[in-house]
Amino acid sequence: MSDTALAAVRAPVEHGFAHLKNWRVLRKVRTDPKWATALVRAMLVLTNREVSR
């Protein structure tokens, strides 16, 4: 895979992680990883819904 193709694949993932770091609620999550995963998924759905408006 070329560097350009790799960069194109990585960019959305890096942007996603950057958004996750901005969500303050995730800084204090000290719970079961399954629950945290469900929380992140719900937040992503809400974020995508807001962005698509």
Side-chain angles (χ1 to χ4, degrees):
M1 186 176 264
S2 71
D3 289 340
T4 306
L6 183 60
V9 172
R10 286 187 59 177
V13 175
E14 295 294 332
H15 288 283
F17 281 123
H19 286 292
L20 287 174
K21 288 179 182 179
N22 288 330
W23 290 341
R24 292 181 186 173
V25 69
L26 295 179
R27 293 181 188 156
K28 296 187 178 189
V29 172
R30 304 283 187 263
T31 187
D32 180 32
K34 289 180 185 177
W35 187 86
T37 301
L39 175 64
V40 169
R41 286 181 178 163
M43 292 172 72
L44 284 171
V45 167
L46 293 173
T47 301
N48 287 337
R49 187 173 173 98
E50 185 67 25
V51 168
S52 66
R53 284 178 150 193

